[in-house]
Amino acid sequence: MDHKLSQVNDYLVTVFNDILTIEETELQKGEFDDLSVKEMHTIDAIGLHGEKTSSEVAKELSVTVGTLTVAINNLEKKGYVERLRNDKDRRVVRLKLTNRGRLFYRSHQHFHKKMVESALADMEESEQAALVKGLKNLHLFLEQYY
């Protein structure tokens, strides 16, 4: 691997690990210390507005509906998520964040906003466009593997 490729790889691995470590550390010391990183990502996938089915959330997280059900059971017990049954078809269950879930979601999004603002700080428009293009290319490459 040439120097530039090695350098980019090192930064990607380090940034990925740093983000996971920071998120986990912040969860443990904040008011949301009852959440795991996986539960945090489940809340993020459900989203702030609207209601999603378990199948939609499972697909977004690349997990089975059975795996998601376990996570939703825990999040429901902890007061972050509620299940809403369709009156016409009781088999249809939609997931929605509770007030506590929305509070966490906003807090987590604030962290991501600060992170992205930091990454883009002091960059010219062309540099920002190049970063977005590179990340998109990486995403498309990774998407082929899952």
Side-chain angles (χ1 to χ4, degrees):
M1 192 178 320
D2 76 19
H3 177 66
K4 190 174 284 187
L5 290 176
S6 178
Q7 191 176 23
V8 170
N9 181 68
D10 289 348
Y11 274 121
L12 286 172
V13 169
T14 301
V15 167
F16 175 79
N17 289 330
D18 286 349
I19 291 169
L20 288 178
T21 300
I22 289 167
E23 286 181 331
E24 192 166 349
T25 301
E26 288 301 307
L27 283 176
Q28 298 310 311
K29 70 180 187 182
E31 69 177 286
F32 304 108
D33 61 350
D34 59 338
L35 288 174
S36 69
V37 171
K38 287 183 179 184
E39 289 171 332
M40 172 189 67
H41 290 136
T42 302
I43 289 171
D44 193 54
I46 293 169
L48 190 59
H49 302 291
E51 302 159 7
K52 292 183 180 177
T53 65
S54 292
S55 297
E56 291 168 331
V57 175
K59 182 177 179 183
E60 189 171 330
L61 293 171
S62 299
V63 299
T64 66
V65 174
T67 298
L68 180 68
T69 298
V70 173
I72 296 302
N73 288 343
N74 291 332
L75 287 169
E76 192 174 37
K77 287 176 192 170
K78 294 176 183 181
Y80 290 96
V81 174
E82 62 181 311
R83 288 179 168 102
L84 305 171
R85 297 213 181 267
N86 185 311
D87 290 335
K88 294 180 182 176
D89 186 349
R90 303 286 294 158
R91 295 170 298 172
V92 176
V93 178
R94 304 204 55 86
L95 305 172
K96 181 180 177 183
L97 298 181
T98 63
N99 287 338
R100 182 165 173 77
R102 287 191 299 275
L103 180 63
F104 171 77
Y105 181 91
R106 286 186 190 100
S107 173
H108 184 63
Q109 289 304 307
H110 179 71
F111 165 74
H112 280 269
K113 182 176 187 272
K114 289 184 348 188
M115 181 177 62
V116 172
E117 287 172 346
S118 175
L120 298 177
D122 302 325
M123 291 177 79
E124 301 290 329
E125 287 288 327
S126 61
E127 294 171 315
Q128 291 179 8
L131 177 60
V132 169
K133 183 177 181 180
L135 292 172
K136 180 181 177 183
N137 289 343
L138 177 60
H139 172 70
L140 293 172
F141 170 78
L142 294 173
E143 200 171 45
Q144 295 173 13
Y145 289 94
Y146 68 91

